[in-house]
Amino acid sequence: MRKIWSIGLIRALIFQILGSAIGAGLLGLIRLAMGLSWKTEPALVVGGFIGAIFFMIGIGGFSGWWKMAMGEDVPEAHDVTEPEGIRRYFGFSLDHKVIGIQYGILSMVLLSVGGSLALIFRTELASSGLQILDFVQFNTLVGLHGMVLIASILMGVAAMGNYVVPLMIGAEDMAFPRLNAFSFWIAVPATVLLLSAMLFGGFETGWTAYPPLSVRGPMGIQLFFAGVYIVGWSSILGALNLIVTTLKMRVKGMKLFVMPIFAWAVLATSIISLTATQLIGLSFQLVMFERLLGMGFFTPSNGGNPILFQHLFWFYSHPAVYIFVLPGLGIISELLPVFVRKPLFGYKWVAMSSMGIALTGYLVWGHHMFTSGIEEYLRVPFMYSTLLVAVPTGVKFFSWVATLWQGKLRFPVPMLFILGAIIVFLIGGLTGPPSGTVSTDLHLHDTYYIVGHFHATMFGGFIFPIFAAIYYWYPKITGRKMNDTLGKIHFYLMTPAFLVTSFGQMQIGMLGMRRRIADYDPTLGFDTSHLIITIAGYLIGVSVLIFFINLIISAKRGEVATGNVWQSRSPEWSILPSPSPVHNYKGMPFEVVGEPYDYGLEGSNYVLPVNQTGQAD
Amino acid sequence: MKHIVIVVILVILLTFGTYALLQGIGLLPAQASAQAVTIDRMFNLHIMMISFLFSLIIVFMGYSIIVFRQKKGDEGFGKFFKANNKLEIIWTILPLGTVIFFSYLGAISLAETRNVEPQALNVDVTAGQWYWSFDYPDYGITSDKLYLPVDRQVKLSMTSVDVIHSFWVPEFRVKQDVLPGENLVKELRFTPTEKGEYTVRCAELCGGAHAYMNSPVIVVDDAEFTDWIDSELGNLPQDPVSKGKRLVENNGCLGCHSVDGSPSVGPTWAGLFGSENVMLDGSIKEVNEDYLHTAIVDPNFDVPEGFPAGVMPSNYADLFSEEEIQNMISFIQSLK
Ligand SMILES: [Cu+2]
Ligand SMILES: [Cu+2]
């Protein structure tokens, strides 16, 4: 018992359950005192939020700050002794590497949950008619699939940022270790809330939760809102930490324009998360209030305007797309030179294109609303700004191609995923402009074409790159390599399967298949296409399962790899041993003496241990 | 240099190949409106552009993968070059020009699809969970089918009684969301150019039976259209059962109730009258006129077992006159 209690996660979950009950009970009592009867919906909301706070108390998220407030001595993060072994991954660790892995595990868990939800409704869609689901179940699954995977992506991005960035820039840890741990752990009760929407009636609105639909109907939507709201905190705080870390904690000699390109990508992403996430939180909060307190923000019969919600929602949710893909594109730019054995072409342009995408990303949200009935004069300017995104994105593609040109390409598993990422992201990118010009979007909006298009951007911009990143940095984490054969099976199964789903979706979408319908008209002749898409979807599932098996068995049985496995110039490979030691570069001071990607430049180094500076080795 | 020549030739070949393939597999449904012609022209431009850019990147990548792969035992580096500002500027400016030009073409294309003709036929569209209803204010007709004369522009003025829906007929290409709220009536214009039967499909997730929110759209020639108007106006039977039938057809009841016994959101009306109905609280009630009257004006008073409360709209007492309610009851009665 004692032993179980000492596992932070379990303690915290028990706290969360207790807290939820206390919150709900308290609200019931207050209502009773006011002469009102029991109502489940407000109790769920209040219980949900109190439960999340209790979770944080249970995990110990407040104890450091509490002690500081009480004037007690609190040790610096690097002086805190943490439990050894597997157990530290289940508690409130302050080490950025542990937190990075925690984020990674949460991301992979959510990836499998979100993916499985998709397989359930893909099974329903395999043929026309309603077979295994009813409308509410179908809509709940579709909405949760979307949001659970968004959470998974946010966690995955944070995982890469947390684990890799401090190592790359030679920092001892993140700028604010306690805040960092807090950002991770707050996401756990948030995902619990999000998933529990299924238990309380589900919701019918899809992940976009447009009112007035979200103002009516099952109350599961409240838990969905609460979950997203809290994941938003995690995202904002995590971003703040990454920005300060990259700007302030780089090792001696590492000017902004010689830091690894991935750090640029994470910086650009974090700027968006820090400043845009509030808007989705706000829009969901307003609907929450509208449901609970009858405030008519978005319902016309109460004086509200449903389009206002869409503006607020997309002001985050479009830039969010770049939060998801910029780190992935950063991974592509980071890993390509290593496997091409040649410099990254146009480093500065690639770095600036990330910033350019982040900036233009703020100006294009209206393209989700071309058919929604926004003011006529808004549509054309939003079309111009939307197509503008193609310019910095183009710079990236051209630079990657120029990097490949006349290299000496090696094809270990991470490189396969990088090449897959470029191809899939290319398809995602090229299918964007038809939905960016207004007249063609009048046809495409809310069809499977859009579904195919954004799944290609998400796979190319996140899923492929994060798999590449995991295969690539796995030895850094464990001191062992992942199995090559299984990795190749994963790649050669997932890539064609994905292309089939994506092309299939786009094609039936153009022909008239609407989004988010549980059943479709058999006379449209989409049955075969849907069956093929479903089968391909299952194959993606199988390939990811193979990946998970590989991930787990290689930790014990993988080939030992402690040195600079990929012959990279980056400090986390060329200076640090694998698995990376607890205090990073402590006892191994180094400084930056050259450029990061000068592969093939005679006698050049990117980083050198301090005592040898100046001498080429 | 040799490499570049080969690659350029391959890019050209693949561009044409991809374009032919994309055109060949048939990506768009039949073209049945003037707007569809304009929009498809824009699609065609996009497909050309996509074919070219796809080939450009894929050929360069594929060529590098095959030709520049590491030879066995060669642990050396690739050719050392790392930046070329001239190139970077070219591939920033050229795309910039292209996207501005595309936006310009897009704006023209949009303007063309929104072309206004003064002679347009007016139709007021009402959407609700989960039905469409079409009013022809110039003729005083209400119908659950959208009849349209060919080659004449139609102007839809659309509003919703509950949540957001979206009007879309794939063969006409254009789409417009339908919003609730008196001041948010949205307009959509198009000119059908091919006679035939189409379907309007709600394109915005509106809960529950969204998938089934479809209604027929029938495009006929002028003479047939006039005939239809006449028959709607003149030959409408005026007995209570037929009046009731029209009422339930035009007010969305059939979005939730079937008249042939098939399952739906609400109970079927086939054989309902005179049956013994089990209530949610276990009691058994006989379905007679009084029961039906209460069921329509106060749906949550008696909730039959197996169906959700609070789904059927509860404002019918305000929407219908007593006579209209009696007519609907007569119609349900006729289905026993
Ligand atoms: Cu967008
Ligand atoms: Cu709908």
Side-chain angles (χ1 to χ4, degrees):
Chain A
M1 194 60 218
R2 245 310 199 359
K3 224 169 163 189
I4 294 180
W5 192 247
S6 74
I7 299 175
L9 178 61
I10 292 181
R11 191 175 58 232
L13 284 173
I14 296 173
F15 263 66
Q16 184 178 11
I17 295 169
L18 281 179
S20 307
I22 293 174
L26 221 56
L27 186 85
L29 284 181
I30 294 175
R31 284 181 63 96
L32 204 65
M34 292 166 67
L36 298 168
S37 63
W38 171 259
K39 231 175 155 183
T40 316
E41 189 168 325
L44 269 187
V45 176
V46 174
F49 278 100
I50 306 249
I53 296 173
F54 266 65
F55 180 99
M56 293 313 289
I57 297 175
I59 197 76
F62 293 115
S63 59
W65 291 328
W66 177 254
K67 281 186 196 143
M68 286 182 206
M70 292 294 110
E72 287 172 41
D73 265 350
V74 181
E76 287 294 320
H78 52 86
D79 296 332
V80 177
T81 41
E82 294 187 353
E84 288 291 311
I86 217 82
R87 173 157 304 182
R88 58 202 295 240
Y89 293 98
F90 293 95
F92 198 77
S93 167
L94 301 181
D95 180 346
H96 77 97
K97 296 184 291 308
V98 175
I99 296 174
I101 291 164
Q102 288 171 330
Y103 267 123
I105 295 172
L106 182 57
S107 170
M108 289 300 127
V109 169
L110 289 175
L111 183 76
S112 18
V113 174
S116 313
L117 298 180
L119 291 183
I120 301 175
F121 66 75
R122 270 317 320 172
T123 311
E124 170 62 57
L125 287 168
S127 65
S128 51
L130 279 183
Q131 290 88 18
I132 52 172
L133 299 173
D134 63 31
F135 291 140
V136 181
Q137 289 167 339
F138 180 86
N139 289 338
T140 306
L141 288 173
V142 169
L144 268 186
H145 163 70
M147 199 46 96
V148 166
L149 281 166
I150 288 174
S152 161
I153 295 177
L154 289 173
M155 298 302 123
V157 165
M160 296 189 283
N162 257 285
Y163 193 91
V164 178
V165 169
L167 292 185
M168 276 186 165
I169 63 172
E172 178 189 9
D173 201 313
M174 295 281 277
F176 311 113
R178 288 197 168 81
L179 189 66
N180 198 23
F182 187 90
S183 317
F184 165 71
W185 281 106
I186 192 72
V188 177
T191 39
V192 172
L193 284 179
L194 187 60
L195 291 174
S196 63
M198 273 192 284
L199 306 178
F200 292 92
F203 59 102
E204 290 225 85
T205 63
W207 76 280
T208 50
Y210 277 11
L213 186 59
S214 53
V215 175
R216 331 163 149 225
M219 60 187 157
I221 189 83
Q222 293 282 24
L223 289 164
F224 168 84
F225 286 151
V228 175
Y229 196 83
I230 300 178
V231 170
W233 291 350
S234 160
S235 200
I236 295 173
L237 297 175
L240 177 77
N241 221 335
L242 279 164
I243 294 177
V244 179
T245 309
T246 7
L247 291 185
K248 286 281 166 206
M249 301 185 58
R250 290 185 315 265
V251 73
K252 183 152 175 253
M254 190 183 279
K255 306 233 175 55
L256 271 180
F257 279 102
V258 289
M259 71 181 182
I261 200 77
F262 180 65
W264 272 106
V266 170
L267 184 62
T269 287
S270 304
I271 293 174
I272 312 176
S273 315
L274 181 70
T275 52
T277 312
Q278 293 78 355
L279 275 286
I280 193 177
L282 178 67
S283 60
F284 281 4
Q285 183 189 337
L286 292 180
V287 182
M288 219 186 246
F289 284 0
E290 178 153 358
R291 284 185 72 112
L292 289 178
L293 309 170
M295 300 172 163
F297 298 114
F298 304 123
T299 309
S301 52
N302 295 336
N305 184 334
I307 297 198
L308 172 62
F309 174 90
Q310 301 177 19
H311 280 298
L312 293 172
F313 178 83
W314 288 112
F315 190 84
Y316 165 77
S317 297
H318 184 83
V321 175
Y322 302 128
I323 300 182
F324 307 156
V325 304
L326 282 177
L329 306 186
I331 295 281
I332 299 177
S333 309
E334 181 69 43
L335 267 50
L336 261 191
V338 179
F339 297 118
V340 179
R341 310 310 296 157
K342 199 174 141 284
L344 174 66
F345 190 84
Y347 170 98
K348 277 195 183 150
W349 291 80
V350 175
M352 284 301 106
S353 69
S354 293
M355 289 296 173
I357 292 178
L359 277 183
T360 29
Y362 278 103
L363 307 174
V364 305
W365 77 92
H367 64 215
H368 297 270
M369 300 165 67
F370 285 155
T371 67
S372 74
I374 49 173
E375 282 72 8
E376 290 295 341
Y377 63 84
L378 284 177
R379 300 203 284 194
V380 170
F382 273 123
M383 165 167 64
Y384 274 91
S385 60
T386 297
L387 293 191
L388 225 50
V389 178
V391 176
T393 317
V395 169
K396 286 207 191 291
F397 276 106
F398 297 135
S399 306
W400 293 332
V401 166
T403 306
L404 288 171
W405 194 247
Q406 300 191 322
K408 289 211 170 125
L409 279 67
R410 305 175 174 179
F411 301 100
V413 178
M415 177 64 163
L416 295 178
F417 279 91
I418 291 297
L419 294 173
I422 298 180
I423 293 171
V424 172
F425 192 69
L426 176 69
I427 290 162
L430 289 178
T431 49
S435 45
T437 49
V438 182
S439 64
T440 40
D441 184 57
L442 297 183
H443 181 60
L444 299 176
H445 182 72
D446 266 332
T447 65
Y448 261 60
Y449 178 86
I450 304 293
V451 176
H453 157 68
F454 73 73
H455 278 87
T457 50
M458 291 296 103
F459 266 74
F462 176 78
I463 301 284
F464 277 82
I466 197 171
F467 284 140
I470 294 175
Y471 284 107
Y472 181 78
W473 278 296
Y474 192 82
K476 188 83 323 201
I477 299 168
T478 59
R480 288 168 191 276
K481 268 174 98 167
M482 285 177 73
N483 183 293
D484 233 33
T485 319
L486 290 179
K488 287 195 170 139
I489 296 176
H490 173 199
F491 177 78
Y492 286 111
L493 197 56
M494 184 170 100
T495 311
F498 176 75
L499 292 177
V500 167
T501 59
S502 196
F503 282 133
Q505 287 170 334
M506 290 193 238
Q507 194 200 5
I508 56 175
M510 289 187 83
L511 288 172
M513 176 74 196
R514 297 167 288 156
R515 270 177 90 170
R516 295 164 165 164
I517 51 177
D519 184 11
Y520 45 93
D521 192 344
T523 59
L524 290 171
F526 295 154
D527 279 77
T528 322
S529 303
H530 269 300
L531 181 62
I532 294 174
I533 295 173
T534 301
I535 294 174
Y538 271 95
L539 290 182
I540 298 178
V542 171
S543 74
V544 175
L545 200 64
I546 294 175
F547 163 77
F548 282 136
I549 294 172
N550 192 354
L551 196 70
I552 292 167
I553 60 170
S554 300
K556 280 243 165 69
R557 304 228 200 105
E559 178 195 331
V560 175
T562 48
N564 190 349
V565 218
W566 314 110
Q567 289 144 24
S568 157
R569 291 166 59 95
S570 196
E572 88 274 16
W573 291 110
S574 61
I575 306 243
L576 210 61
S578 304
S580 39
V582 181
H583 291 297
N584 297 1
Y585 297 96
K586 201 170 187 184
M588 298 172 258
F590 70 94
E591 75 183 47
V592 173
V593 296
E595 306 234 344
Y597 304 109
D598 278 349
Y599 291 94
L601 182 64
E602 202 72 33
S604 96
N605 274 303
Y606 177 34
V607 288
L608 276 185
V610 157
N611 40 11
Q612 292 177 21
T613 307
Q615 303 161 19
D617 49 28
Chain B
M1 211 52 213
K2 185 191 87 197
H3 294 308
I4 294 284
V5 175
I6 300 176
V7 165
V8 168
I9 295 172
L10 287 175
V11 169
I12 295 172
L13 289 179
L14 188 62
T15 302
F16 282 103
T18 315
Y19 181 72
L21 181 78
L22 289 177
Q23 288 294 349
I25 48 182
L27 288 175
L28 289 163
Q31 204 180 51
S33 75
Q35 284 65 21
V37 178
T38 313
I39 290 176
D40 290 359
R41 216 179 301 131
M42 194 71 207
F43 269 123
N44 191 35
L45 283 179
H46 276 297
I47 294 179
M48 284 181 194
M49 199 45 142
I50 290 175
S51 311
F52 168 64
L53 289 173
F54 176 78
S55 311
L56 182 70
I57 303 287
I58 290 294
V59 167
F60 267 97
M61 272 182 80
Y63 192 84
S64 307
I65 290 175
I66 295 166
V67 177
F68 303 132
R69 58 192 311 142
Q70 178 194 35
K71 308 277 168 328
K72 253 216 163 82
D74 179 358
E75 292 292 317
F77 293 98
K79 193 168 173 198
F80 186 84
F81 59 90
K82 57 182 204 179
N84 181 336
N85 282 340
K86 242 189 238 147
L87 254 187
E88 298 276 2
I89 290 172
I90 291 175
W91 67 43
T92 308
I93 297 291
L94 272 188
L96 187 66
T98 314
V99 301
I100 291 177
F101 183 58
F102 248 79
S103 307
Y104 168 73
L105 294 178
I108 292 183
S109 167
L110 176 65
E112 257 176 69
T113 62
R114 300 190 53 240
N115 152 47
V116 171
E117 277 174 28
Q119 316 297 1
L121 169 74
N122 286 311
V123 181
D124 294 340
V125 179
T126 308
Q129 283 175 327
W130 291 279
Y131 70 95
W132 297 97
S133 161
F134 307 98
D135 273 296
Y136 293 73
D138 303 340
Y139 304 100
I141 295 174
T142 302
S143 163
D144 62 341
K145 299 185 185 67
L146 180 59
Y147 260 83
L148 296 174
V150 72
D151 290 332
R152 174 169 167 203
Q153 191 175 67
V154 51
K155 174 187 158 206
L156 305 178
S157 307
M158 306 192 287
T159 187
S160 158
V161 296
D162 39 48
V163 301
I164 303 176
H165 303 274
S166 189
F167 182 99
W168 184 42
V169 179
E171 290 83 356
F172 299 161
R173 303 291 185 274
V174 285
K175 180 181 292 131
Q176 174 62 54
D177 284 9
V178 183
L179 304 167
E182 280 153 23
N183 53 347
L184 293 173
V185 176
K186 293 295 162 189
E187 212 176 82
L188 181 66
R189 288 173 183 266
F190 55 88
T191 311
T193 52
E194 295 289 328
K195 293 202 300 177
E197 294 204 12
Y198 309 98
T199 309
V200 47
R201 306 177 187 277
C202 174
E204 179 66 51
L205 176 57
C206 54
H210 166 57
Y212 299 146
M213 189 167 155
N214 309 326
S215 289
V217 176
I218 299 150
V219 179
V220 292
D221 61 28
D222 277 346
E224 286 168 298
F225 185 69
T226 330
D227 285 352
W228 177 72
I229 299 277
D230 285 345
S231 76
E232 288 285 302
L233 284 176
N235 307 337
L236 298 182
Q238 296 302 324
D239 60 297
V241 173
S242 312
K243 277 185 172 169
K245 178 160 184 282
R246 289 199 295 277
L247 280 167
V248 301
E249 279 173 355
N250 296 335
N251 287 289
C253 314
L254 301 186
C256 299
H257 296 284
S258 76
V259 292
D260 57 1
S262 56
S264 187
V265 178
T268 182
W269 288 339
L272 177 62
F273 191 84
S275 66
E276 308 260 276
N277 225 348
V278 185
M279 295 297 118
L280 201 56
D281 58 18
S283 61
I284 294 185
K285 295 214 169 149
E286 194 209 321
V287 179
N288 52 26
E289 272 109 356
D290 283 346
Y291 175 89
L292 288 179
H293 195 277
T294 322
I296 295 172
V297 298
D298 187 6
N300 294 331
F301 182 78
D302 282 326
V303 177
E305 196 184 11
F307 292 95
V311 168
M312 175 157 152
S314 52
N315 55 349
Y316 286 144
D318 306 331
L319 280 182
F320 298 113
S321 68
E322 187 53 37
E323 192 202 330
E324 286 174 323
I325 294 178
Q326 286 308 334
N327 288 339
M328 291 192 281
I329 293 177
S330 309
F331 172 67
I332 297 176
Q333 203 168 343
S334 75
L335 295 170
K336 64 178 164 207

